[in-house]
Amino acid sequence: MSAHLNAPQRDAIHYLDGPSLVLAGAGSGKTRVITHKIAHLINACGLNPANIAAITFTNKAAKEMQERVAGLMGGRVPGGLTVCTFHALGVKIVRQEAKHCRLKPQFSILDASDTVQIVADITRDADKARSKAMQWQISGWKNAMVTPEQAAQLADNELASAAALLYAEYERTLRAYQAVDFDDLISLPVRLFDEHPEVRERWQNKLRYLLVDEYQDTNRAQYTLLRHLAGVRGAFTAVGDDDQAIYAWRGADVENLKLLQQDYPKLKVIKLEQNYRSSKRILTAANTLIANNEKLFDKRLWSEHGAGEQVTVTACRDAEHEAEWVASKINAHKFEHRTKFSDYAVLYRGNHQARLIEQQLRNQKIPYVISGGQSFFDKAEIRDLIAYLRLLMNEDDDLAFIRAITTPRRGIGAGTLEALGSYAGRRHVSLFAATFEEGAAQALNARQLEQVQEFGNFINRLQYRATREPASRLLEDLLAAIRYEAWLFEHLDPREAESKWSNVRDFVGWLGRKGDEDGKNLIELTQTIALISMLDKNDSEFDGVQLATLHASKGLEFKHVFLVGVEEGLLPHQSSIDEDKIEEERRLMYVGITRAQRSLNITWCERRKAGKEARTCEPSRFIEEMGGDVKVNDRKSNVPVSKEEGRARIANLMAMLEGRGG
DNA sequence: GCACATGAGCTTTTT
DNA sequence: GCTCATGTGC
């Protein structure tokens, strides 16, 4: 096993005398280092798996880490081993220590749109963009461990001052709902450990060795949490690459790399510079591009691979043609090289770009998977259902109460809710609790009271059953009781209702199976729902082209990569150009390039629709910065007229026939 | 007082 | 294309 490891990798794995930082270039085997180190700690050092935690930033990375650890450890993740995201670890801590955080263990986790709505509710401001900006500001403060009092001092513009005024009430509102936002999942444990040394010690003794993936993406709060957990022992390995820092917008600070050296003077720094992933031409393009950035640590990636295919740059007429070209190219390439669909990835800057790509892939009968998945939980029908689940778990969750009681419509509208809300506000109780108070009879008229209490009783009955019956049966009964399917078909056109209902079926089926597999009831499932992404389940088996944002692609690799929309204004994004944040965009491009093993195709559009108007685009400066060893495709051949498309269709058909025959 | 229909505006990246 | 915001009928 060790035979596959190079010298620096072995050093990184075997070094256990103190804190270490592994600077791992793209494709240099950093996941291999982390997973082998876990195996080493357990097998060679005799550490109990329950005392080890590997922390990642995304669910996807956590899942891959688990699979690879299992691969090293005889097919199973060792019992008790923690491999999860920062936020999932935060949830675990806050749930277990809920009373110290003044929360009940069944607190709700709010997502981005919930928190924006809370800000809007507090300000009674209909301007959603402004609410969003203020929530953004508050989130930034929380990530930087800035209190409401400090925020008031720091605020240097009108919006920030307004947000500072809101901040404290925002926090009070969350607590009143017995809810936390994503930022709390990090900052609450930090505060907990600040205030309760004995709790901190307990966790330090539980998690005796920490491995942190993508360290360059930690924000201040996450770093503080890491320090609390690592304590003076400093038993941790942080793995990161400053060239792949792409989360500054979320408060990540590459300075944390420097800070680590300051705070742990004995920090052992190990560099991994041999790239195992990409052919030389791709690696050279990546190196040449990233050389345009100021470097924090000097690092030079090299590879033993051959030169490989030339990187291609293709200009397309517009985004439709771009998508069409990519789809045709995949079909043709697959036929020619006898590859699998899952060997291909299409990467893009923004989620909205996925739509056109999806359309074209469907047109050309190419199977695909979209990673990211968050958007699935953002769909109205899924949020409807989650509102019920959240309410079952935590009846103080007023946001969930309002959404559930009004969806589907059951004769309760704004008027009723306003009356109930103002009564609940006077009594300082949740909407749900107010429903059953005697005083509610004065606040509401007889019909309103009856309807509201009927709903309350309905929820109570479900709650009673939720801890006693299998999740799948309860979900079925819930859907039947609220007549969700009928409601969808009554007020939407059949196609839309069909699609929404099918999403609901997917979600319910998935949740039910998960409950049965893990032996969890509905309440327990709901506790983790905000943090998991459902699309994690099927990607290993399914043969489809991978669609992902550049951010979501980090940590993954593909034989053949298509990087689309590489234009000024998109990559680098206009807002980054305006704010002079080009370097992070360049790193994003670097991440995209370094995903590719064998071939890299870059496309850009001469015209792109921005809202209604189509506007003329320039190729991204990054294309030039990659150096001259690229093949620029002739523009005429890129307009996929019927000939190209026809050829692709035939190729596709033949591939299908071939598959059927043997 | 409530539900439904139409229209406008918006899209950077994630937990 | 998809959500939210506002106006009209029951």
Side-chain angles (χ1 to χ4, degrees):
Chain A
M1 201 168 283
S2 300
H4 296 127
L5 300 162
N6 64 33
Q9 287 176 340
R10 276 198 301 273
D11 287 350
I13 291 164
H14 294 141
Y15 185 82
L16 290 169
D17 296 336
S20 61
L21 170 64
V22 180
L23 290 168
S28 65
K30 80 183 160 71
T31 308
R32 193 187 303 171
V33 165
I34 294 177
T35 52
H36 275 83
K37 192 152 190 170
I38 293 171
H40 178 71
L41 286 165
I42 297 170
N43 293 338
C45 308
L47 217 62
N48 184 341
N51 290 331
I52 303 171
I55 305 167
T56 65
F57 275 83
T58 62
N59 291 311
K60 220 183 178 73
K63 192 180 173 251
E64 199 198 330
M65 191 90 61
Q66 276 168 352
E67 279 167 6
R68 293 192 39 187
V69 170
L72 286 177
M73 304 291 293
R76 293 186 51 191
V77 178
L81 178 71
T82 304
V83 181
C84 66
T85 62
F86 256 109
H87 290 86
L89 178 66
V91 172
K92 214 163 147 179
I93 296 172
V94 179
R95 288 249 188 254
Q96 250 176 64
E97 313 292 344
K99 62 173 189 297
H100 293 297
C101 304
R102 270 161 279 158
L103 283 166
K104 59 182 186 185
Q106 304 87 350
F107 60 85
S108 301
I109 300 169
L110 306 183
D111 65 22
S113 43
D114 292 322
T115 55
V116 171
Q117 204 198 318
I118 287 178
V119 170
D121 287 349
I122 295 174
T123 56
R124 298 175 178 282
D125 191 342
D127 185 349
K128 221 186 75 193
R130 191 176 153 84
S131 299
K132 212 170 163 180
M134 288 200 280
Q135 202 285 323
W136 186 254
Q137 175 66 260
I138 292 173
S139 171
W141 283 323
K142 290 174 83 163
N143 281 325
M145 304 295 303
V146 172
T147 63
E149 297 74 39
Q150 293 165 329
Q153 311 258 301
L154 280 170
D156 57 358
N157 59 55
E158 190 272 326
L159 189 91
S161 307
L165 288 174
L166 270 177
Y167 185 1
E169 185 168 0
Y170 171 83
E171 297 281 83
R172 276 198 299 277
T173 308
L174 289 185
R175 287 310 95 87
Y177 293 171
Q178 289 286 310
V180 303
D181 60 19
F182 284 126
D183 307 314
D184 285 326
L185 294 176
I186 311 299
S187 60
L188 285 178
V190 168
R191 202 178 315 151
L192 169 75
F193 291 156
D194 273 335
E195 291 168 5
H196 300 274
E198 76 286 355
V199 178
R200 183 178 67 215
E201 244 168 75
R202 186 147 44 78
W203 281 89
Q204 285 176 345
N205 284 326
K206 175 171 164 44
L207 305 176
R208 302 183 76 85
Y209 201 93
L210 300 169
L211 300 107
V212 183
D213 190 22
E214 308 284 8
Y215 176 77
Q216 76 283 350
D217 288 328
T218 49
N219 61 38
R220 198 50 174 272
Q222 286 163 333
Y223 175 62
T224 314
L225 180 58
L226 171 66
R227 279 196 61 192
H228 272 316
L229 287 170
V232 283
R233 264 204 323 266
F236 66 81
T237 300
V239 182
D241 178 6
D242 46 321
D243 287 334
Q244 294 186 68
I246 54 174
Y247 285 102
W249 53 274
R250 208 173 81 185
D253 193 350
V254 190
E255 288 291 304
N256 281 349
L257 280 165
K258 278 190 201 160
L259 222 53
L260 205 59
Q261 271 181 313
Q262 275 171 34
D263 293 338
Y264 295 93
K266 286 187 189 155
L267 185 76
K268 168 97 167 169
V269 179
I270 297 167
K271 289 182 192 172
L272 305 182
E273 295 176 293
Q274 181 175 1
N275 173 290
Y276 292 94
R277 181 182 295 151
S278 311
S279 59
K280 274 209 178 82
R281 279 200 169 108
I282 293 170
L283 200 57
T284 305
N287 274 332
T288 313
L289 172 80
I290 205 68
N292 290 285
N293 272 8
E294 294 283 331
K295 305 276 280 187
L296 193 58
F297 289 93
D298 208 31
K299 188 159 43 59
R300 183 96 212 141
L301 280 184
W302 59 279
S303 156
E304 286 177 349
H305 286 295
E309 280 178 50
Q310 235 177 352
V311 174
T312 74
V313 174
T314 305
C316 303
R317 215 166 64 195
D318 54 36
E320 280 83 9
H321 281 127
E322 180 181 54
E324 206 170 343
W325 184 80
V326 168
S328 315
K329 183 88 181 176
I330 289 175
N331 255 339
H333 192 277
K334 177 175 184 285
F335 182 63
E336 200 179 323
H337 294 85
R338 310 200 155 243
T339 49
K340 293 181 296 183
F341 284 120
S342 54
D343 291 333
Y344 300 85
V346 184
L347 308 181
Y348 36 81
R349 176 67 230 261
N351 274 314
H352 63 283
Q353 290 173 264
R355 206 169 48 238
L356 283 173
I357 307 282
E358 277 187 87
Q359 231 167 52
Q360 282 304 321
L361 290 176
R362 272 200 302 270
N363 277 350
Q364 303 199 26
K365 307 268 185 293
I366 298 174
Y368 63 88
V369 260
I370 295 193
S371 65
Q374 199 54 39
S375 55
F376 183 82
F377 288 91
D378 256 353
K379 290 179 188 297
E381 60 274 25
I382 303 302
R383 291 178 63 82
D384 287 344
L385 211 54
I386 290 178
Y388 278 91
L389 301 185
R390 255 167 50 188
L391 189 59
L392 287 182
M393 175 180 74
N394 169 18
E395 67 268 15
D396 293 332
D397 189 334
D398 283 356
L399 291 177
F401 180 90
I402 290 167
R403 187 162 188 128
I405 204 171
T406 54
T407 323
R409 292 287 172 187
R410 43 168 65 79
I412 294 165
T416 309
L417 284 176
E418 218 167 285
L420 184 64
S422 86
Y423 171 75
R426 282 198 303 277
R427 300 271 309 128
H428 298 288
V429 296
S430 67
L431 293 173
F432 188 89
T435 301
F436 293 107
E437 288 204 352
E438 282 179 21
Q442 272 80 61
L444 304 174
N445 66 40
R447 197 176 128 257
Q448 291 173 325
L449 186 70
E450 193 197 323
Q451 284 169 322
V452 167
Q453 289 190 339
E454 192 187 324
F455 176 77
N457 287 325
F458 170 62
I459 295 298
N460 275 332
R461 281 196 300 277
L462 286 175
Q463 269 179 333
Y464 177 83
R465 294 175 53 195
T467 52
R468 292 168 177 79
E469 294 177 29
S472 46
R473 187 161 81 213
L474 207 67
L475 282 164
E476 295 300 336
D477 288 357
L478 167 61
L479 282 177
I482 64 177
R483 297 182 61 253
Y484 196 77
E485 183 182 12
W487 178 72
L488 284 177
F489 281 90
E490 274 160 23
H491 77 117
L492 296 172
D493 77 67
R495 259 198 16 256
E496 210 178 333
E498 189 60 55
S499 139
K500 284 182 187 290
W501 179 241
S502 132
N503 283 335
V504 169
R505 295 304 322 166
D506 282 352
F507 179 62
V508 167
W510 170 75
L511 204 57
R513 274 195 308 280
K514 208 168 157 54
D516 295 345
E517 280 166 22
D518 303 353
K520 285 186 174 170
N521 68 43
L522 200 55
I523 303 288
E524 289 161 335
L525 282 174
T526 305
Q527 292 182 344
T528 50
I529 225 164
L531 294 174
I532 43 179
S533 103
M534 189 175 117
L535 297 151
D536 287 355
K537 60 181 169 136
N538 52 0
D539 40 28
S540 51
E541 298 295 314
F542 185 68
D543 180 33
V545 172
Q546 290 277 333
L547 267 56
T549 63
L550 286 164
H551 285 87
S553 78
K554 193 160 70 152
L556 307 176
E557 57 183 15
F558 308 95
K559 287 205 175 71
H560 308 286
V561 168
F562 289 83
L563 208 47
V564 302
V566 187
E567 300 138 32
E568 284 294 300
L570 238 185
L571 182 65
H573 196 270
Q574 189 57 48
S575 53
S576 302
I577 298 173
D578 295 342
E579 291 165 44
D580 212 19
K581 299 250 167 71
I582 295 297
E583 293 213 331
E584 175 142 318
E585 298 287 306
R586 192 176 281 115
R587 290 192 291 267
L588 203 49
M589 174 87 177
Y590 176 79
V591 166
I593 294 172
T594 53
R595 296 313 92 197
Q597 297 173 311
R598 307 251 178 96
S599 80
L600 174 63
N601 293 281
I602 291 168
T603 58
W604 64 278
C605 300
E606 294 170 332
R607 297 178 70 72
R608 181 176 292 275
K609 271 198 217 116
K612 268 184 183 173
E613 300 290 301
R615 114 195 126 71
T616 312
C617 306
E618 298 288 312
S620 167
R621 67 191 77 183
F622 298 149
I623 291 177
E624 212 178 312
E625 290 176 4
M626 290 189 314
D629 189 15
V630 297
K631 181 175 160 232
V632 178
N633 277 340
D634 175 17
R635 192 166 292 166
K636 270 184 226 146
S637 65
N638 309 329
V639 184
V641 275
S642 49
K643 200 172 71 182
E644 274 261 357
E645 205 188 326
R647 217 178 60 194
R649 293 252 163 89
I650 290 166
N652 187 40
L653 197 65
M654 289 177 73
M656 271 168 52
L657 288 170
E658 192 184 32
R660 201 174 299 160

